[in-house]
Amino acid sequence: MLAVTAGAMGAGAACLAILLGAFLVRALLRKQWRGTTSEEAAEATSSEWDYIIVGGGTAGCVLANRLTKGPAGKDKRVLLLEAGRGDYDNKLVQIPAGILRLFQSDFDWHFYTSNEKATSGRGIYLCRGKCLGGSSCVNVTLYTRGDAHDYDTWEKDFKCTGWSAAEVLPHFRRTEDDQIGLYKTDPKHHGSGGEMSVDNVRYQNPLSAKFLEACKQAGHKLNPDFNCWDSPQTGAGRFAVSQRNGARCSAASALLAPALAEATRGLKVLTGVLARKVVFKGTKTTGVQFSVEGVDFTANLKKGGEVILAGGAIHSPQLLMLSGIGPAEHLKSHSIPVISDLSGVGQNLQDHPAAAVAFECPEDYRGISVTSAIRIAGTSIPHPWPLINWFVNGSGPLTSTGCDHGGFFTTEAAPANSSSADLQMRFLAARAVSADGMRSFTSFKKTTRHPDGFTFQAIAARPESRGRVLLASAQPETNPVIEGGFLTHKQDVASIRAGLRLARKLAQQPALKPYAGREVFPGESVQTDEQLDEYIASSVHTANALVGTCRMGELSDPLSVVDPEMRVKGVQGLRVVDASVIPKLPGGQSNSCVVMIAERAAASSLAFRGNEATGARLTDPGGPQLPRTLLAPARAGFPHRGMAIVAVIV
């Protein structure tokens, strides 16, 4: 009788957990967003603006804040146009592990590459954020800047004056609010009191700790700070993340929200609007044409105003070409009148290519992976207790996007003359369900049986392959053609291949070996260089760092699109400020770099135009910080909707 009662109680608890988990999914997925109406668009276009920012992603949010801030911005009127959603405070965005449901959702543009020559005929899925905050709302939150050589290369090799490591470092520091404690010991490289909180993930899976032990056993040093440029980037450790109190710290929540909260700022944001083209009078920029609910509107600039494109590496070159700026023959083929013949528009596309090695844990270690911690066993329903832990404490497995441990390594495949690591390794305390790492993320929400294990993601940290973005039509509603060019340079293949071999070596170190059961991907039979290269081609995926398609350079450079002040060549009153201006991808995640780019743009003639008395210098952004009360994340304590969810559970 007791056994039956205990069994019934256990079954009842399981049913209750499933019901609570299902309720939480419905609550988290509930839509709260309404786009701009045609009436609101008409009101916004009835007056003129000092700045029109096209794109409310990472750079757009930084610019919207800085251009309306302080004495220099108090009289500025700024219009921000965003094609995507406005609910950057959605719980799935705030919870870092919510990324598992954001890929290929309404928060994503669902891009795929085409015409790939080295990926076994596959198009590569590219996640780009379709909401205020852009890809800072759908990335894995890692905060790694690259090394000093990356930025010195911009200035030396691409003639981007003012972009050396020493000159960009203050712009990184200005926005940073270090929570790890690095600012106290290294204020040269870290900031405190900025809007973007940088922390360690408030959770460490046992397998992640074993990974760090294995790296030491294999002879690799531990690196406590990948963003310190006084020491080599190489080594293993915990990647810093853009989080505050365990919640995602996006550009929208950190910078746009406080700006919108100040009623005295001249900032207007329109969401769900599609930019159609930049409007010119001759070669002078006069405004932006956009559509809402099928109706076209034109936002006009004040005299001396500027349009700033901040749509990212896909949309900024697309909008330039739709507006008549780009390769003349390509524009003519789509019957677009040429305003400025710039052959570099859309060229130089770069991304971090990656491939995975995955192991399944022996049965003795069932339940050890993070995937077992966050879901009810045998279902795709979130377990309620990690959600409670996140809402109440801002800690636990939901604070992790999965890949917050790893390192940078110089492999035997690295170029002989390189002083920087050629490989980034990300360690995930979860077994991949597909050789394509992005497919593992997108299919996780549908997978009910997820065996325990761990995965290494080998990434070519400083890729040499190049792709391009082309128009598919003259209609902005049509996605452009994205030719990723993945693996078209043998150096990238060699670095990833070396990374796969390193992953296998680490898995056999004493710390990890007991947990390394069957090698699921690529499989023990895949051993030779040729076999590994074939596996890489069939499974390569993006590490989500698209840059370069409107790159900076000196005016005489035939492939540069903007000058070092990010002004578009051949026209007046138009800049591009986003990841597309990056000439060469740094060895790290691109989001912190984009924040720096926008900071630098605002600290130059944009924010201080006509205000020379402020004494602002490019190497010393300065300026007052926001009050601490405005730096709280959307999940400060109990958010309103969060309290409702927790109250129902309890």
Side-chain angles (χ1 to χ4, degrees):
M1 180 68 178
L2 290 176
V4 172
T5 302
M9 290 177 63
C15 290
L16 177 61
I18 290 173
L19 288 172
L20 289 175
F23 166 80
L24 289 169
V25 170
R26 291 187 64 186
L28 291 171
L29 292 176
R30 189 175 296 136
K31 294 184 178 180
Q32 305 282 338
W33 171 74
R34 177 187 68 82
T36 296
T37 65
S38 56
E39 290 78 10
E40 292 166 332
E43 180 184 356
T45 55
S46 64
S47 57
E48 296 179 331
W49 302 88
D50 293 289
Y51 298 100
I52 302 172
I53 304 170
V54 184
T58 297
C61 289
V62 177
L63 290 165
N65 182 300
R66 297 301 189 234
L67 295 177
T68 58
K69 180 180 179 179
K74 68 177 181 178
D75 296 323
K76 297 295 188 295
R77 301 191 72 243
V78 176
L79 178 64
L80 176 63
L81 305 176
E82 166 57 38
R85 304 167 62 93
D87 54 340
Y88 58 86
D89 57 347
N90 186 289
K91 287 294 174 287
L92 287 179
V93 175
Q94 291 182 36
I95 299 173
I99 192 173
L100 294 166
R101 290 183 177 271
L102 292 175
F103 289 162
Q104 296 185 344
S105 73
D106 290 341
F107 289 88
D108 180 9
W109 281 97
H110 295 253
F111 287 133
Y112 278 85
T113 69
S114 58
N115 303 325
E116 295 288 353
K117 299 177 181 178
T119 64
S120 300
R122 297 178 305 124
I124 307 299
Y125 162 58
L126 306 173
C127 176
R128 296 287 90 190
K130 191 178 183 180
C131 60
L132 289 172
S135 293
S136 73
C137 289
V138 297
N139 65 11
V140 293
T141 75
L142 302 190
Y143 184 90
T144 50
R145 303 168 178 168
D147 66 15
H149 182 261
D150 290 323
Y151 301 97
D152 288 339
T153 296
W154 291 10
E155 182 169 65
K156 180 181 178 182
D157 293 356
F158 296 94
K159 311 303 180 187
C160 295
T161 304
W163 291 88
S164 68
E167 290 167 297
V168 302
L169 184 56
H171 301 286
F172 278 112
R173 288 200 309 260
R174 179 180 184 181
T175 321
E176 183 181 4
D177 188 18
D178 169 57
Q179 306 294 318
I180 302 171
L182 298 171
Y183 171 74
K184 294 179 180 178
T185 57
D186 186 13
K188 173 183 175 181
H189 293 99
H190 295 282
S192 179
E195 295 87 352
M196 295 291 290
S197 175
V198 180
D199 203 350
N200 282 329
V201 168
R202 296 183 171 192
Y203 166 79
Q204 186 180 49
N205 185 273
L207 289 172
S208 299
K210 293 297 182 183
F211 161 77
L212 297 181
E213 289 183 38
C215 288
K216 287 178 64 178
Q217 291 167 348
H220 300 284
K221 68 181 179 71
L222 297 186
N223 190 336
D225 182 9
F226 292 110
N227 295 312
C228 175
W229 291 347
D230 286 343
S231 57
Q233 187 188 32
T234 51
R238 304 184 73 164
F239 294 128
V241 293
S242 297
Q243 294 184 18
R244 188 182 293 277
N245 298 333
R248 176 187 294 273
C249 186
S250 72
S253 62
L255 288 135
L256 184 61
L260 290 172
E262 295 184 27
T264 57
R265 297 207 193 196
L267 175 61
K268 179 71 174 179
V269 177
L270 304 183
T271 57
V273 304
L274 179 67
R276 307 196 70 83
K277 66 179 180 178
V278 180
V279 181
F280 297 95
K281 184 176 182 180
T283 58
K284 182 181 179 180
T285 308
T286 61
V288 175
Q289 185 185 95
F290 64 93
S291 58
V292 175
E293 298 178 335
V295 180
D296 288 350
F297 298 89
T298 299
N300 293 305
L301 289 171
K302 288 183 178 180
K303 182 179 180 180
E306 289 188 330
V307 168
I308 306 172
L309 303 190
I314 305 301
H315 284 121
S316 284
Q318 180 191 27
L319 189 57
L320 283 178
M321 289 186 282
L322 290 172
S323 307
I325 300 174
E329 292 304 314
H330 182 55
L331 300 184
K332 291 175 182 177
S333 70
H334 291 284
S335 301
I336 298 174
V338 178
I339 303 294
S340 181
D341 180 9
L342 296 180
S343 59
V345 175
Q347 304 297 308
N348 194 48
L349 177 63
Q350 300 163 60
D351 193 7
H352 284 138
V357 176
F359 293 87
E360 188 169 315
C361 287
E363 189 67 19
D364 291 347
Y365 297 103
R366 177 186 293 183
I368 194 172
S369 293
V370 65
T371 45
S372 294
I374 64 175
R375 295 205 306 197
I376 297 171
T379 76
S380 60
I381 299 173
H383 200 291
W385 308 129
L387 279 163
I388 294 173
N389 191 15
W390 183 83
F391 278 114
V392 176
N393 302 312
S395 61
L398 294 185
T399 64
S400 175
T401 58
C403 56
D404 43 80
H405 287 63
F408 289 88
F409 304 90
T410 300
T411 74
E412 65 274 15
N417 60 347
S418 175
S419 60
S420 301
D422 64 313
L423 177 75
Q424 182 181 15
M425 183 80 78
R426 295 176 182 171
F427 179 82
L428 296 87
R431 203 212 84 171
V433 297
S434 169
D436 180 334
M438 290 299 289
R439 192 173 299 157
S440 286
F441 272 85
T442 58
S443 62
F444 177 78
K445 57 190 174 186
K446 303 174 185 177
T447 305
T448 56
R449 181 185 177 275
H450 200 122
D452 291 280
F454 56 91
T455 304
F456 301 88
Q457 187 186 40
I459 303 167
R462 293 174 168 86
E464 296 295 338
S465 299
R466 298 291 182 268
R468 62 180 181 173
V469 174
L470 302 168
L471 291 178
S473 81
Q475 300 304 314
E477 293 87 353
T478 304
N479 282 345
V481 176
I482 307 169
E483 297 180 352
F486 282 86
L487 307 180
T488 51
H489 196 289
K490 63 181 182 181
Q491 176 60 55
D492 299 349
V493 179
S495 292
I496 295 174
R497 185 197 314 129
L500 301 183
R501 295 193 188 282
L502 174 60
R504 285 171 163 171
K505 179 180 178 181
L506 293 175
Q508 296 307 308
Q509 299 304 307
L512 272 178
K513 190 171 183 178
Y515 305 92
R518 177 174 66 96
E519 182 180 304
V520 183
F521 304 114
E524 294 181 1
S525 63
V526 180
Q527 293 293 334
T528 67
D529 285 357
E530 291 76 15
Q531 290 172 330
L532 287 170
D533 290 354
E534 182 178 350
Y535 168 75
I536 293 168
S538 66
S539 65
V540 67
H541 51 277
T542 175
N544 291 309
L546 299 174
V547 307
T549 49
C550 301
R551 77 163 174 82
M552 287 188 292
E554 58 186 348
L555 291 174
S556 61
D557 183 343
L559 290 180
S560 69
V561 177
V562 300
D563 69 9
E565 296 305 314
M566 293 165 276
R567 295 171 295 207
V568 177
K569 291 162 47 173
V571 296
Q572 299 81 49
L574 178 63
R575 300 186 193 239
V576 179
V577 180
D578 57 29
S580 69
V581 305
I582 294 174
K584 190 170 181 7
L585 180 58
Q589 281 54 66
S590 57
N591 194 70
S592 62
C593 179
V594 172
V595 173
M596 175 274 291
I597 288 169
E599 282 281 14
R600 187 191 183 283
S604 65
S605 61
L606 291 177
F608 302 105
R609 189 181 63 207
N611 291 278
E612 292 84 355
T614 62
R617 303 191 307 275
L618 292 181
T619 55
D620 182 15
Q625 299 294 336
L626 285 172
R628 278 282 179 173
T629 55
L630 291 178
L631 294 179
R635 192 209 56 82
F638 285 106
H640 176 69
R641 281 175 285 165
M643 179 176 284
I645 293 174
V646 174
V648 170
I649 295 174
V650 174

